[in-house]
Amino acid sequence: MLNINLGCGPNIVDNWVGVDYGLLPLLGKFKLTKLAANLGLIDKSYSARWPNIRFYDIRKHLPFANNSVDNIYCSHVLEHFEKYETENILKECYRILKRCGVLRIVLPDLAIFINNYKPGLSDSFCNNFFGWYRDQGQHNFFRFLIRDHKWMYDSKSFINLLENAGFKKNVLQKFKVGMVPNIDKLDILDYKDHSFYIESTK
């Protein structure tokens, strides 16, 4: 069984192939995140030890054969890309999945951010919308390490993208509920209250 985690970060579990790309994953690949944190170049929350990953830009043609992958997991990744890039990634996911293979997507839910907005909370809203604390000077360096948010979705708008990519069976799920294996280890608690979960079957 071939399971892949796109944009995995350091969150890898057994029986999953992690794929990630960028300067932070590059530091992780060479075991330099702890050193960078100790030097104050990155926040200590990013100093986790990274497992072995496939260092690859998922905006390109995914390096897997047609109909070869059983499950795909992708959590808090696609909002960091332009919408057209996400559309291409979803088409690639459809291409590489086996028949009846499952794609699980976890994304920050724009509807939740808007519904929870209250006057005077613009700083908090903007930081969540952009994905990081842009108003802090130290994060100017983070532009080279952490991608900000390029496009935000609610569940309905994202299901439209999935349908356009070929996925006709799209089911809203809940935190740690679904069909992909190891979901109890893959879903991250910090994302629970501001995310939507969708599983799409080919």
Side-chain angles (χ1 to χ4, degrees):
M1 183 172 285
L2 177 56
N3 304 313
I4 62 174
N5 186 343
L6 298 179
C8 60
N11 184 35
I12 293 295
V13 300
D14 291 342
N15 304 317
W16 286 79
V17 176
V19 180
D20 212 331
Y21 181 80
L23 285 178
L24 186 59
L26 186 64
L27 289 174
K29 181 178 176 65
F30 291 102
K31 317 300 183 190
L32 296 174
T33 50
K34 187 173 183 179
L35 175 62
N38 289 337
L39 292 174
L41 298 177
I42 62 174
D43 190 85
K44 290 189 181 297
S45 63
Y46 293 103
S47 65
R49 182 177 178 86
W50 284 58
N52 291 326
I53 62 169
R54 292 187 69 168
F55 190 73
Y56 189 83
D57 186 349
I58 67 171
R59 292 171 294 182
K60 300 178 180 179
H61 183 81
L62 292 177
F64 301 92
N66 294 354
N67 308 304
S68 64
V69 176
D70 294 276
N71 297 284
I72 300 173
Y73 183 84
C74 188
S75 175
H76 281 242
V77 175
L78 299 179
E79 73 275 16
H80 296 286
F81 300 133
E82 301 291 353
K83 184 180 177 184
Y84 74 90
E85 293 174 320
T86 293
E87 290 171 335
N88 291 334
I89 292 168
L90 294 179
K91 290 175 183 176
E92 279 292 282
C93 289
Y94 189 84
R95 176 185 65 80
I96 66 176
L97 273 175
K98 295 178 180 177
R99 186 174 179 273
C100 298
V102 178
L103 166 66
R104 183 176 178 90
I105 297 287
V106 183
L107 281 170
D109 191 340
L110 181 58
I112 292 176
F113 292 145
I114 292 173
N115 289 338
N116 290 342
Y117 178 77
K118 296 178 181 178
L121 296 180
S122 59
D123 286 352
S124 176
F125 178 85
C126 287
N127 285 327
N128 282 319
F129 184 86
F130 289 112
W132 56 313
Y133 296 93
R134 296 166 66 111
D135 57 338
Q136 295 182 12
Q138 64 174 331
H139 285 278
N140 289 332
F141 178 74
F142 274 22
R143 279 192 173 276
F144 299 102
L145 296 171
I146 309 298
R147 297 184 182 94
D148 53 3
H149 291 173
K150 300 294 186 183
W151 199 276
M152 296 287 281
Y153 306 91
D154 59 22
S155 58
K156 185 176 180 179
S157 66
F158 198 79
I159 285 175
N160 288 337
L161 293 191
L162 288 162
E163 290 176 345
N164 290 337
F167 293 97
K168 303 307 179 186
K169 185 178 179 182
N170 303 292
V171 179
L172 283 173
Q173 297 283 18
K174 295 182 179 180
F175 177 67
K176 294 192 176 183
V177 176
M179 297 186 293
V180 300
N182 308 116
I183 199 171
D184 57 320
K185 297 178 181 179
L186 289 167
D187 279 354
I188 297 173
L189 181 61
D190 288 347
Y191 298 158
K192 177 184 177 183
D193 293 331
H194 63 276
S195 301
F196 62 80
Y197 301 78
I198 298 175
E199 286 189 343
S200 303
T201 305
K202 182 173 178 178

